Amino acid sequence: MKTNYKLQGTPNSPVLIFSNSLGSEMMMWDELVPHVLPYFRVLQYDTRGHGGSYEESSSVESYTIGLLGQDVIDLMDSLGIETACYCGLSMGGLIGQWLGIHYPNRFKKIVLSNTGAKIGNDERWNSRIETITQQGMQAIVDDTMERWFTESFRQQNPQRVAETKAMFLRSHVAGYAACCGAIRDADFRETLMKLSVETLVITGDEDPVTNVEQAEFLAKHIPHASLKVLNARHLASTELPQEYAQTLIDFLVGNTAFEKGMHVRRSVLGEAHVDKANANINPFNADFQSFITNYAWGEIWTRPDLSKHNRSLITLAMLIALNRKTEFKMHVRAAFNNGVTVAEIKEIIMHSALYCGLPAANEAFHTAQEVINELNITT
């Protein structure tokens, strides 16, 4: 099966994988992506049987959570992703439990959102399969929207609810039914202690599908787990995208400006550069190094409305204008970490010749060429 996916972000950043709820496509995470892109490459994908990962040969025969989990590992392997952080909601949370138990070495941290070790019972899932098989997705869409969102959210955000409803109605009946079977048959209550990866459990205080009690069970039985309860129903990530994203960042990166700054600084400048800078910290420069990490990297480079790629372009242009050769050379290296191409660097320098002067552009070309040669990059 070919998995439909989207991978965004700068190449030197660690990867964060988002896994969807039943009846959702990878677009369900779109509102969160700008907030986490300063820290991660973001991998979204359609679960087997959903969206672009549906095959016409799909039937009502059940999948298993193990099969859906193996799809994640296969996708990581095909993209050359050795390790990642993972966030799965509802069915995605079940997949996350399977991954954490069977492939703990592939995941740095795991987020299990609005899920349970065992969700529902055979009667409930068999009844749903029968209903949609006979009547289609329309038969359960209104009830689903009510379970997914609080009443106040539905009233105040009719457009967002309408988009989510349309996404749900696009679900392929056979694929949805097969995933229902996977959820029906999944039960991790006796194996959670084998999940050794550091885990955050998220739920909504009004979630009628996977309630706070189920989240507490997960947090209690997973060895290294903590719990966060949000004021939401089942699709907490859609109902509270900014708060949800901040919860992810605090857990996956750190909740201080220094931790966030060090994370971004390492991904942009490289581990070796930052390690060298840290090794040279002394009483004279310690305050300045702390200032750089907290303010430049922790507060400015983490803002979501400019990509790291574009920040690199802007930084290079300003350093040419200011004739800061050492910093320019450092940021040429950083630009490659942020996905900037040789052609783009050339155009920045050409453009700077107009507004910064020929001598500044000439020196920038020589400096950039030094870095290109050092890194053995083909021009």
Side-chain angles (χ1 to χ4, degrees):
M1 201 248 352
K2 186 176 181 181
T3 301
N4 184 47
Y5 71 90
K6 178 168 60 175
L7 181 62
Q8 303 175 75
T10 53
N12 212 42
S13 297
V15 175
L16 170 59
I17 301 172
F18 281 122
S19 184
N20 314 330
S21 66
L22 178 68
S24 295
E25 300 166 10
M26 60 183 174
M27 61 173 283
M28 68 169 279
W29 302 102
D30 283 354
E31 292 163 293
L32 275 72
V33 171
H35 297 285
V36 297
L37 273 179
Y39 306 94
F40 297 99
R41 293 177 79 194
V42 176
L43 176 57
Q44 299 162 263
Y45 76 99
D46 286 333
T47 309
R48 181 186 289 254
H50 289 69
S53 297
Y54 175 76
E55 294 179 326
E56 290 299 331
S57 59
S58 297
S59 69
V60 182
E61 294 179 6
S62 298
Y63 298 151
T64 66
I65 292 298
L67 176 68
L68 303 181
Q70 191 60 50
D71 286 341
V72 176
I73 298 299
D74 292 345
L75 180 58
M76 292 173 67
D77 289 344
S78 71
L79 296 173
I81 298 169
E82 182 61 31
T83 60
C85 294
Y86 177 93
C87 176
L89 189 147
S90 195
M91 178 174 65
L94 288 171
I95 295 170
Q97 292 170 64
W98 187 90
L99 290 170
I101 292 168
H102 293 275
Y103 288 92
N105 61 313
R106 302 295 298 271
F107 297 93
K108 298 176 181 179
K109 293 185 179 182
I110 288 176
V111 179
L112 306 176
S113 181
N114 301 83
T115 192
K118 171 68 175 174
I119 302 177
N121 54 44
D122 289 4
E123 181 182 0
R124 167 184 166 183
W125 291 111
N126 290 336
S127 174
R128 185 179 299 191
I129 292 170
E130 182 180 359
T131 298
I132 63 167
T133 301
Q134 295 178 357
Q135 302 176 43
M137 302 304 296
Q138 184 67 44
I140 63 171
V141 66
D142 291 333
D143 181 58
T144 299
M145 295 303 106
E146 186 176 339
R147 293 196 312 272
W148 279 8
F149 302 119
T150 59
E151 182 178 355
S152 60
F153 183 84
R154 297 197 306 274
Q155 291 177 351
Q156 296 170 20
N157 300 273
Q159 182 60 37
R160 189 68 185 92
V161 174
E163 292 169 356
T164 306
K165 186 174 182 178
M167 176 184 68
F168 185 83
L169 288 172
R170 287 196 300 270
S171 298
H172 307 281
V173 170
Y176 184 98
C179 285
C180 285
I183 298 171
R184 176 196 63 203
D185 298 337
D187 188 349
F188 295 104
R189 289 175 292 187
E190 301 299 323
T191 53
L192 287 176
M193 71 289 297
K194 297 180 181 179
L195 203 171
S196 58
V197 184
E198 185 179 356
T199 301
L200 174 66
V201 180
I202 299 177
T203 195
D205 59 0
E206 294 187 38
D207 189 343
V209 181
T210 51
N211 57 33
V212 174
E213 183 180 358
Q214 290 170 280
E216 290 174 340
F217 182 92
L218 289 171
K220 180 180 178 180
H221 289 85
I222 296 171
H224 307 288
S226 55
L227 173 64
K228 176 72 172 181
V229 180
L230 303 177
N231 182 216
R233 283 196 178 170
H234 192 55
L235 239 60
S237 59
T238 302
E239 192 155 353
L240 299 169
Q242 190 165 347
E243 183 178 352
Y244 193 101
Q246 191 59 58
T247 298
L248 294 184
I249 293 165
D250 289 348
F251 171 67
L252 299 174
V253 178
N255 57 14
T256 67
F258 185 87
E259 290 172 309
K260 295 169 186 174
M262 189 57 72
H263 176 101
V264 175
R265 190 179 182 185
R266 287 185 179 278
S267 70
V268 174
L269 299 181
E271 297 282 353
H273 177 94
V274 178
D275 286 343
K276 182 178 179 180
N278 287 342
N280 291 329
I281 291 176
N282 57 47
F284 180 67
N285 64 24
D287 289 346
F288 180 67
Q289 288 295 320
S290 178
F291 170 79
I292 291 172
T293 301
N294 277 284
Y295 186 64
W297 298 104
E299 294 189 23
I300 301 302
W301 276 81
T302 57
R303 293 170 67 87
D305 292 329
L306 270 180
S307 68
K308 285 195 287 188
H309 180 281
N310 286 345
R311 289 186 188 278
S312 275
L313 301 182
I314 294 167
T315 302
L316 291 176
M318 289 190 289
L319 291 173
I320 293 171
L322 294 169
N323 192 28
R324 301 290 193 263
K325 180 177 179 179
T326 301
E327 286 284 312
F328 178 76
K329 188 172 184 178
M330 179 184 75
H331 276 280
V332 170
R333 287 179 170 272
F336 290 126
N337 288 336
N338 282 340
V340 176
T341 65
V342 171
E344 288 174 313
I345 292 175
K346 180 179 75 173
E347 290 307 317
I348 291 168
I349 300 174
M350 290 292 292
H351 201 72
S352 73
L354 293 177
Y355 297 99
C356 304
L358 297 178
N362 186 49
E363 182 165 335
F365 266 115
H366 286 296
T367 304
Q369 187 68 61
E370 289 177 15
V371 177
I372 290 169
N373 292 342
E374 290 169 6
L375 298 177
N376 294 316
I377 296 174
T378 303
T379 58

